[in-house]
Amino acid sequence: MSDEYRQPEYRQPQGEPQPQPQPQPHDYRPAKPGRNPLGLASLLVGAAISLLGLLFLVIQAAVITTADAQALGAVSAVNGVLSGLLAIAAIVLGIVAITRPGLSKTFAAAGIALGAAALVSVIGSFSYGLLVQFLYSFSSSF
């Protein structure tokens, strides 16, 4: 082939910057967070505490009719222990779920809130019971 049909090679002159590709306009929407099964579990455990409380309310009403104070105390203690354990479980599940990156945190936050409220309630109930016992024993000693 002769040189007259050959394409000349294009060379960028030295010292001039290379042309950079321009970014194309995109629709930048924040990524939708994925589902968080631990967050949902935290919420369900937190909600189960309220249902457990309603169940024990009915049980306590039935025990009151027997006029057995020890049975009523036992039912209240079982309710407090179960509610406390479920509250701790809801809080722990919620904290683990909320620390997972890229997943929804809504249910986890709700589960933590329900668990914390239940835990405060359980601590308050036990404190009240101890205070009443102390005051009763203190007043009966006079």
Side-chain angles (χ1 to χ4, degrees):
M1 276 197 165
S2 70
D3 286 332
E4 53 186 78
Y5 295 112
R6 182 181 270 177
Q7 291 284 337
E9 290 184 28
Y10 177 76
R11 291 188 182 174
Q12 184 83 17
Q14 295 291 334
E16 289 185 30
Q18 294 282 340
Q20 297 295 322
Q22 296 296 319
Q24 299 296 320
H26 291 285
D27 187 16
Y28 291 106
R29 291 184 198 159
K32 186 176 179 182
R35 292 184 179 176
N36 195 344
L38 286 178
L40 179 61
S42 172
L43 177 65
L44 292 176
V45 170
I49 299 167
S50 297
L51 296 175
L52 183 71
L54 289 174
L55 175 68
F56 272 96
L57 189 66
V58 171
I59 293 171
Q60 285 175 346
V63 170
I64 286 174
T65 61
T66 65
D68 186 4
Q70 286 183 340
L72 184 61
V75 168
S76 294
V78 169
N79 180 25
V81 169
L82 286 177
S83 294
L85 290 174
L86 287 175
I88 291 169
I91 292 169
V92 168
L93 283 171
I95 289 172
V96 170
I98 216 163
T99 59
R100 296 177 73 190
L103 299 178
S104 175
K105 296 173 181 4
T106 307
F107 288 161
I112 291 171
L114 287 172
L119 193 59
V120 167
S121 175
V122 167
I123 291 171
S125 294
F126 277 128
S127 299
Y128 176 75
L130 291 174
L131 180 65
V132 167
Q133 249 183 352
F134 173 74
L135 292 176
Y136 181 75
S137 65
F138 182 71
S139 67
S140 65
S141 65
F142 287 109

